[in-house]
């Protein structure tokens, strides 16, 4: 046996195939991603939208203000892209925070 051979990945003395494992393909599913979107309305205060973006989407004050203004002017804006369960949790958190304050703020998911 050549020196260092045992350190090679795939080397297996017990496999009976000259020390080299048969190649196996391991298929991993990539989780599908979802966009979390905020929607404009006429009643939710701008400061509340900025707070939501900093609190639930980890945006800086500057980023949050930019996104909030984009939503205000264009109708919708992207908060972030996440695997389904995380995206769903973000939507639920925003919806609950808005409901507590009785604001009509809408937050939705869309396949990325
Ligand atoms: N249009 C709201 C206002 O003028 C502000 C706003 C921005 C509301 C973004 C919702 O997702 C939103 N107070």
């Amino acid at each position: 046996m050549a020196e260092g051979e045992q350190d090679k990945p795939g080397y297996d003395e017990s496999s009976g195939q000259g020390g080299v494992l048969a190649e196996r393909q391991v298929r991993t599913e990539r989780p599908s991603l979802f966009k979390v979107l905020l929607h404009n309305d006429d009643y939710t205060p701008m400061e509340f939208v900025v707070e939501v973006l900093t609190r639930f989407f980890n945006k800086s004050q500057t980023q949050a203000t930019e996104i909030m203004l984009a939503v205000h002017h264009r109708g919708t804006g992207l908060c972030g892209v996440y695997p389904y369960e995380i995206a769903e949790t973000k939507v639920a958190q925003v919806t609950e925070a808005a409901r507590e304050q009785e604001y009509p703020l809408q937050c939705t998911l869309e396949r990325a």
Side-chain angles (χ1 to χ4, degrees):
M1 184 196 307
E3 208 183 328
E5 197 170 5
Q6 246 163 329
D7 296 331
K8 284 183 192 167
Y11 184 88
D12 181 2
E13 267 184 315
S14 65
S15 73
Q17 296 187 17
V20 179
L21 282 175
E23 276 183 44
R24 259 179 298 175
Q25 276 208 330
V26 178
R27 293 243 169 250
T28 50
E29 298 261 311
R30 279 171 308 188
S32 32
L33 297 175
F34 286 77
K35 297 187 215 176
V36 176
L37 303 171
L38 269 184
H39 300 262
N40 192 32
D41 66 72
D42 292 339
Y43 303 102
T44 305
M46 291 183 170
E47 306 77 60
F48 180 78
V49 179
V50 170
E51 193 200 315
V52 157
L53 286 160
T54 57
R55 186 162 146 203
F56 300 123
F57 299 94
N58 306 311
K59 303 298 182 187
S60 68
Q61 198 71 17
T62 304
Q63 290 172 319
T65 303
E66 283 171 4
I67 295 167
M68 181 279 295
L69 287 174
V71 177
H72 178 69
H73 291 298
R74 294 180 215 151
T76 59
L78 181 64
C79 305
V81 178
Y82 308 93
Y84 182 75
E85 283 198 12
I86 294 172
E88 193 187 36
T89 301
K90 304 273 181 199
V91 169
Q93 287 171 326
V94 173
T95 304
E96 175 58 15
R99 196 201 59 79
E100 278 174 14
Q101 305 289 321
E102 301 190 0
Y103 295 142
L105 182 64
Q106 295 292 303
C107 183
T108 60
L109 295 185
E110 186 179 284
R111 195 178 272 278

